Amino acid sequence: MTALRIAVLASGRGSNLKALIDAIASGELAAEIVGVFSDKAGSGALTIAREHGLVACFLDPKSFASRAEFDRALFAAVDAKRPELIVLAGFMRVLSDEVVAPRSARMINIHPSLLPKYPGLHTHRRALEAGDAEHGATVHYVIPALDAGPVIAQTRIAIEAGDTPESLAAKLLPKEHALLVSVMRNFVQHRPAE
Ligand code: GRF
C-alpha cells in the first residue's frame, strides 16, 4: 500500500507535526508528509520540517493584497504537492470559503476543546472559567465556519482542582498528538482501494 500523502498547515511550534513525523518514522502511520505550509516565517513547524528534510513553504500574508489572494496562493502551493489529506495543525488563520468549500471532505483540523464548546482561542481558560469537569481536543472536518465542521474524534481529560490554563494545556497536548495520529491511521485504513 502506498503511503497516504498529507500536507500540514501550521503557524506555531509544530508539536502536532512532530507527532506525525514520529508516527511515520516508527511505522505506526503509513503516510508521507508532502509539504509543510506556514504563514509564520519563524514558526517551529517550519524549523521541524526543514530538520526532517521536508518541503517547508512559507507564505507571507503581508505580501498579498487580500485574504483571498493569500489563500489562493497557499492552496496553489498545497495542491501542487497532490495531498490526499490536508491537516491543519495549529494553523492560526481563518481560511476563506472559496478555498475551504471544495476541500472540506479532505481537510481536517485539530482544536484544543471539546467542540462544539469553545471554538476560537483561549480554550483552556474558557473551560476553567466555565467550571467544566472535563476538557479535551477534537479532530474535525474543516468547513467555512471556524472550528465548526463535523467531528471525527475527541479525546478527554478531567479538570482537577488547582488546574490552570497552562496545566490543562500540558496535560492535553500528548493526548492531542495521540488523537491526531489515530485519526490519521483511520484515514489510511479506510481510504479507497487503489
Ligand atoms: C494545538 O493545541 C492545537 O490543537 C491548536 O494549536 C496548538 C498547536 O500546537 N490548534 P503545535 O503547534 O502543534 O505544537
Side-chain angles (χ1 to χ4, degrees):
M1 191 171 63
T2 54
L4 181 78
R5 297 174 65 84
I6 59 179
V8 178
L9 275 55
S11 306
R13 84 201 126 164
S15 69
N16 280 286
L17 168 66
K18 182 66 168 56
L20 293 178
I21 291 171
D22 290 348
I24 292 168
S26 72
E28 195 187 342
L29 181 63
E32 178 191 356
I33 298 174
V34 294
V36 176
F37 301 85
S38 184
D39 60 328
K40 294 274 187 276
S43 63
L46 285 178
T47 304
I48 291 168
R50 291 190 192 106
E51 282 169 1
H52 290 83
L54 300 174
V55 169
C57 177
F58 163 62
L59 275 88
D60 187 354
K62 291 197 283 295
S63 58
F64 294 87
S66 66
R67 176 179 299 279
E69 278 184 37
F70 172 85
D71 287 356
R72 269 179 227 136
L74 172 64
F75 280 89
V78 170
D79 289 349
K81 296 291 167 197
R82 296 181 293 106
E84 297 169 80
L85 194 64
I86 300 165
V87 182
L88 308 188
F91 190 66
M92 300 305 284
R93 284 179 65 83
V94 174
L95 293 169
S96 46
D97 297 2
E98 175 194 328
V99 294
V100 172
R103 297 175 181 83
S104 257
R106 55 189 187 87
M107 182 147 68
I108 64 174
N109 180 44
I110 180 145
H111 181 76
S113 81
L114 292 172
L115 289 173
K117 283 188 165 182
Y118 319 129
L121 298 174
H122 309 302
T123 57
H124 311 307
R125 195 179 75 209
R126 288 156 71 196
L128 279 174
E129 283 173 359
D132 291 352
E134 60 174 10
H135 185 43
T138 302
V139 174
H140 65 93
Y141 287 103
V142 176
I143 63 167
L146 183 69
D147 298 330
V151 169
I152 300 170
Q154 294 185 312
T155 188
R156 288 162 194 274
I157 58 170
I159 298 183
E160 293 158 314
D163 265 329
T164 62
E166 293 72 28
S167 72
L168 283 185
K171 276 194 271 189
L172 189 55
L173 195 61
K175 308 250 317 181
E176 271 186 47
H177 297 162
L179 177 72
L180 184 59
V181 170
S182 105
V183 166
M184 305 287 294
R185 281 172 56 89
N186 270 323
F187 271 98
V188 170
Q189 276 158 18
H190 296 112
R191 74 211 274 231
E194 289 168 61

